[in-house]
Amino acid sequence: MTMPTALSALPPVHEILQSPEGRDCTARHGHAASLACIREVLDECRQRLLAGAAGTGTRESAAGQIAGVALERLDQRHAPAMKRVLNMTGTVLHTNLGRALYAPRAVEAAMRAMTGPLALEYDLDAGRRGQRDDAVQALVAEITGAEAACIVNNNASAILLVLAALAAGRETIVSRGELIEIGGSFRMPQIMESAGTRLREVGTTNRTHLRDYESAIGPDTALLLKVHPSNYQVLGFTHETRCPELLPLARKHGLPLVDDLGSGVLVDLSRWGLPRERSVQDALAEGVDLVTFSGDKLLGGPQAGFIAGRRDLVEACARHPLKRALRLDKVRLAALEATLSLYRDPDRLAETLPTLRHLARRPDEMRAMAQAILPALAAALPASHAPGIAESQAQIGSGALPLETLPSLALRIPAPGASAERIARALRRLPLPVIGRIAEGAVWLDLRCLDDARALVEELPGLAALLDE
Ligand SMILES: *Cc1c(COP(=O)(O)O)cnc(C)c1O
């Protein structure tokens, strides 16, 4: 900051507050915070003038300048930490960037739920208390054929609740190859321990046979659990005992078979040229007693966890005291109802559901965007990092079909060695941060999930200055 004025002409605090910038500052950040920050800036000016800095300008212009500096500082300090970003990682369901985006219809429903009372646990026909999960449960039943469903905070909660309600104090049988860890601190053995069920591992890492399950069943067995390996695959000499094979065994011993599906696909993705994944309907049609899955993965809704299947088992989960602790709030329930209702018109899902729109995005659309952005990107980078358009590999993310990649298109910025991180960092420091990916001596900006190409083009001129910092 250049010194706005001489020491003797420094304006008093109340004059600074009264300047147009000072009034802006108070309007945005309140009197107390503005006053404190103006005092801070004023004090810095005083110190620097005392140390011999040369001041210019009048007392009046100084008031505006000092308030302007305070306003900028407070804008920065009070900016939300959870900034909106541009996901150009090529991972559609990026857990660190918030997974699925709400469909416009879900946004409207969430907004209604946030801003007014709603019939959340209220039966409008009878005029008395109703059940919180009813609306969503009916939709899950309609779409998947499940007898009943129970909705909780996320899929981790769903598994926790199933095990607590159906297997506490007894044994749960799981294949050793399915004792997975999913990012952060979700580890299947630990969830089981928290639920109070004893883990009975069967088989080996790569091979688990029907006879392994059979010989593990005893008087203490409460249920058989299958877990979608989600984020890895065992290749080579492997054997998995699938649900249709396990079911007769479960039936013979009167044990529920529970399948943690992870992602929770409700439609056949192959109609959009995507790899086929076993759906919730597939699992229930096989006869699996209960399935659990997420709301914010391939389903494309808010964070949520589903327990769906046999009515008596779902009811046992819904009655357990943990259900209350894990229940969903009204905003997400409303968004979930709206999201699920989109599945009644599967023909238009790729337009109405952002997750599917991104997954199904066509190469020509991505190429047109890349061409629109390229000149601005090239102009913002030194000639040594001249960007180009390149084919890339996107992925679904969040553990869905981990080895399948989707052919995608990216802006590729050649950046050998340490320059890649320098460029990636400058991109992250743009007003609307751009999150790309570093690989093979380049920074890749994948176009599959970009919705606002114009916002990117408009902010790119600011990149050059950030690269020098
Ligand atoms: C993602 C996943 C979970 C955890 O689901 P959240 O909704 O993130 O709690 C559990 N099991 C499997 C198989 C998963 O893929």
Side-chain angles (χ1 to χ4, degrees):
M1 181 172 120
T2 56
M3 279 307 106
T5 187
L7 190 56
S8 59
L10 271 180
V13 172
H14 73 268
E15 263 173 44
I16 302 176
L17 278 166
Q18 284 311 314
S19 68
E21 292 86 347
R23 283 202 287 267
D24 272 359
C25 193
T26 312
R28 283 240 276 280
H29 300 285
H31 178 76
S34 301
L35 183 64
C37 193
I38 284 170
R39 283 204 172 120
E40 179 186 305
V41 178
L42 196 55
D43 204 46
E44 284 165 28
C45 286
R46 197 172 290 125
Q47 296 300 326
R48 284 165 63 189
L49 288 167
L50 280 172
T56 55
T58 64
R59 174 164 154 166
E60 197 183 9
S61 69
Q65 271 196 48
I66 290 169
V69 172
L71 174 57
E72 215 169 280
R73 260 188 214 181
L74 285 175
D75 278 352
Q76 262 181 25
R77 275 182 207 164
H78 296 182
M82 284 190 266
K83 266 192 177 176
R84 195 159 87 87
V85 302
L86 295 178
N87 175 11
M88 300 189 77
T89 60
T91 299
V92 179
L93 295 165
H94 199 300
T95 299
N96 307 139
L97 303 181
R99 289 193 187 158
L101 306 178
Y102 281 32
R105 286 262 286 277
V107 174
E108 288 162 24
M111 192 72 94
R112 275 197 305 273
M114 276 189 266
T115 50
L118 74 164
L120 175 67
E121 291 181 6
Y122 191 77
D123 183 336
L124 285 172
D125 283 335
R128 57 178 151 74
R129 192 185 167 153
Q131 290 295 320
R132 174 176 285 247
D133 287 353
D134 273 359
V136 171
Q137 166 165 240
L139 270 161
V140 174
E142 177 187 326
I143 296 164
T144 69
E147 277 177 21
C150 170
I151 324 299
V152 285
N153 179 57
N154 57 5
N155 191 22
S157 311
I159 298 160
L160 181 70
L161 182 56
V162 166
L163 296 174
L166 306 178
R170 294 196 295 149
E171 276 181 2
T172 297
I173 300 182
V174 193
S175 160
R176 195 159 268 141
E178 294 173 13
L179 290 171
I180 54 167
E181 171 179 310
I182 300 171
S185 53
F186 180 95
R187 285 180 157 197
M188 198 45 88
Q190 285 167 358
I191 291 270
M192 297 178 74
E193 196 183 314
S194 312
T197 186
R198 284 196 305 283
L199 164 63
R200 180 76 194 263
E201 294 175 51
V202 297
T204 59
T205 307
N206 56 331
R207 289 169 74 84
T208 303
H209 302 274
L210 185 62
R211 61 172 184 276
D212 295 322
Y213 286 94
E214 188 154 27
S215 58
I217 293 176
D220 249 10
T221 309
L223 61 81
L224 306 184
L225 179 65
K226 287 283 294 172
V227 184
H228 188 298
S230 289
N231 47 10
Y232 85 108
Q233 224 171 59
V234 183
L235 299 173
F237 185 57
T238 66
H239 182 79
E240 179 195 346
T241 306
R242 296 181 186 280
C243 289
E245 222 187 319
L246 265 178
L247 272 163
L249 181 67
R251 295 275 188 277
K252 186 172 131 195
H253 294 274
L255 296 169
L257 175 63
V258 179
D259 194 350
D260 171 21
L261 296 173
S263 214
V265 198
L266 301 179
V267 281
D268 179 358
L269 295 174
S270 63
R271 68 187 277 185
W272 293 281
L274 296 162
R276 196 173 192 293
E277 165 99 338
R278 181 161 159 267
S279 67
V280 174
Q281 292 91 324
D282 291 338
L284 291 171
E286 284 166 15
V288 170
D289 297 293
L290 280 184
V291 292
T292 64
F293 54 97
S294 297
D296 57 352
K297 292 185 178 173
L298 281 171
L299 193 151
Q303 181 190 302
F306 292 83
I307 301 167
R310 242 172 69 190
R311 183 175 305 280
D312 59 326
L313 300 177
V314 170
E315 281 172 359
C317 295
R319 275 195 310 270
H320 192 279
L322 263 182
K323 167 63 168 68
R324 172 60 191 252
L326 301 174
R327 76 179 185 186
L328 220 59
D329 70 291
K330 61 180 178 180
V331 178
R332 283 188 287 151
L333 265 178
L336 204 51
E337 183 186 15
T339 306
L340 286 170
S341 69
L342 298 173
Y343 281 85
R344 285 174 167 151
D345 184 4
D347 299 335
R348 285 197 300 162
L349 267 183
E351 295 147 50
T352 55
L353 211 56
T355 299
L356 194 56
R357 178 158 49 78
H358 291 151
L359 287 172
R361 190 167 248 175
R362 300 182 53 81
D364 48 346
E365 191 190 340
M366 292 191 270
R367 188 164 294 277
M369 276 201 293
Q371 280 160 349
I373 298 165
L374 189 61
L377 185 61
L381 289 163
S384 52
H385 296 288
I389 298 172
E391 289 183 354
S392 69
Q393 299 293 324
Q395 51 185 353
I396 300 177
S398 287
L401 304 162
L403 299 189
E404 306 264 8
T405 53
L406 311 171
S408 195
L409 211 65
L411 292 154
R412 180 180 175 280
I413 306 167
S419 66
E421 179 47 35
R422 195 167 61 84
I423 292 172
R425 200 170 89 105
L427 286 161
R428 290 197 302 269
R429 293 174 69 188
L430 285 165
L432 185 53
V434 174
I435 318 290
R437 175 165 47 96
I438 297 173
E440 298 156 27
V443 177
W444 300 75
L445 303 179
D446 196 292
L447 295 148
R448 183 165 286 278
C449 300
L450 184 67
D451 286 320
D452 202 347
R454 183 185 296 178
L456 176 56
V457 168
E458 279 171 7
E459 69 172 355
L460 277 173
L463 185 65
L466 295 170
L467 279 167
D468 295 334
E469 277 177 17

